[in-house]
């Protein structure tokens, strides 16, 4: 495997098998952050697929808007996955810096703190994407092809998994960030996962009700 992080186009062209092989390998990246992005991309793809099969003329404009938004979020997920791999490698590089003297220790900690703060940005992006995908699922469900409503619930389940994984990726970096205000802001932002999970559960409950009719 190359020592440089893949870009968005490389990830788009990568097979699932290749990604899983890299994920399981003893390498610095990909890791949990890229996994969160892929989980969100699965959610985006499911929402887009449901929309493309929901062809009632009276909902055409709404569905077209939802499909376009889901496609855009899928692309954003791929970018977040690439950004996460690059950010994680920067953290790994900072960890390798020498720390034999007090000066080296201070310089290493400063660089590591900056790298870990930067490493929170891709999973935060995934968390925001996941919230948008739950919103799209909520909007498409009432007009969805009845044969595909289970896929709407699957999309919200994937979005919830993405958000939970992204939250863990952010929280894993918090102890190394020296900026107290930044840490507090990050902790507050990832707390939004709780409400996202409740919304996903409500979509799943609504889908189960529809499937019982």
């Amino acid at each position: 495997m190359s020592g440089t992080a893949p870009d968005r186009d490389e990830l788009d062209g990568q097979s699932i098998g290749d990604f899983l092989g890299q994920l399981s390998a003893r390498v610095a990246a990909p890791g949990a952050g890229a996994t969160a992005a892929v989980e969100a991309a699965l959610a985006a793809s499911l929402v887009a697929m449901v929309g493309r099969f929901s062809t009632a003329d009276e909902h055409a404009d709404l569905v077209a808007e939802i499909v376009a938004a889901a496609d855009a979020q899928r692309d954003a997920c791929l970018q977040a996955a690439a950004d996460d791999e690059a950010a994680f490698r920067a953290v790994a590089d900072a960890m390798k810096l020498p720390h034999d003297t007090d000066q080296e220790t201070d310089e290493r900690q400063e660089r590591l703190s900056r790298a870990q703060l930067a490493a929170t940005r891709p999973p935060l992006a995934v968390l925001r994407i996941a919230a948008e995908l739950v919103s799209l699922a909520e909007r498409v469900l009432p007009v969805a092809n009845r044969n595909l409503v289970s896929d709407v619930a699957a999309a919200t389940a994937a979005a919830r998994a993405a958000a939970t994984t992204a939250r863990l990726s952010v929280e894993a970096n918090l102890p190394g960030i020296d900026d107290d205000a930044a840490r507090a802001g990050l902790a507050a932002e990832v707390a939004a996962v709780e409400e996202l999970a409740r919304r996903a559960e409500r979509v799943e409950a609504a889908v189960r009700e529809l499937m019982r009719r």
Side-chain angles (χ1 to χ4, degrees):
M1 179 181 173
S2 169
T4 59
D7 61 24
R8 177 243 180 269
D9 291 334
E10 288 172 331
L11 283 171
D12 196 24
Q14 188 178 48
S15 72
I16 291 175
D18 285 345
F19 176 78
L20 294 177
Q22 292 179 5
L23 188 62
S24 65
R26 194 175 185 272
V27 294
T35 299
V38 171
E39 289 167 337
L42 292 172
S45 298
L46 283 166
V47 170
M49 181 268 287
V50 171
R52 288 188 167 98
F53 275 106
S54 302
T55 55
D57 289 342
E58 64 266 32
H59 304 306
D61 290 345
L62 172 63
V63 169
E65 180 185 338
I66 290 170
V67 169
D71 285 343
Q73 295 300 337
R74 175 186 173 274
D75 287 343
C77 289
L78 292 173
Q79 186 60 58
D83 291 345
D84 184 82
E85 292 198 35
F88 191 85
R89 290 175 191 276
V91 172
D93 289 343
M95 287 181 172
K96 295 175 185 175
L97 291 173
H99 49 96
D100 297 323
T101 67
D102 289 345
Q103 181 178 349
E104 287 177 344
T105 298
D106 290 344
E107 290 174 352
R108 177 181 180 273
Q109 179 55 37
E110 181 181 353
R111 180 168 162 185
L112 186 57
S113 178
R114 290 198 307 269
Q116 290 194 274
L117 180 58
T120 66
R121 291 174 190 138
L124 281 178
V126 171
L127 201 160
R128 294 168 191 140
I129 290 167
E132 173 62 17
L133 291 170
V134 172
S135 295
L136 293 175
E138 291 168 337
R139 294 174 66 195
V140 82
L141 180 58
V143 301
N145 184 319
R146 280 294 298 271
N147 295 319
L148 297 174
V149 292
S150 63
D151 293 291
V152 180
T156 57
R160 178 174 54 198
T164 300
T165 306
R167 178 180 186 170
L168 290 167
S169 293
V170 171
E171 290 174 340
N173 285 289
L174 293 183
I177 298 172
D178 291 334
D179 186 329
D180 292 342
R183 280 203 314 274
L186 290 165
E189 188 159 2
V190 298
V193 173
E194 302 298 334
E195 176 57 23
L196 183 151
R198 286 190 286 270
R199 290 170 60 200
E201 288 169 4
R202 287 194 290 269
V203 171
E204 182 175 338
V207 166
R208 290 183 182 279
E209 180 62 27
L210 285 171
M211 292 192 299
R212 283 194 290 267
R213 293 177 186 173

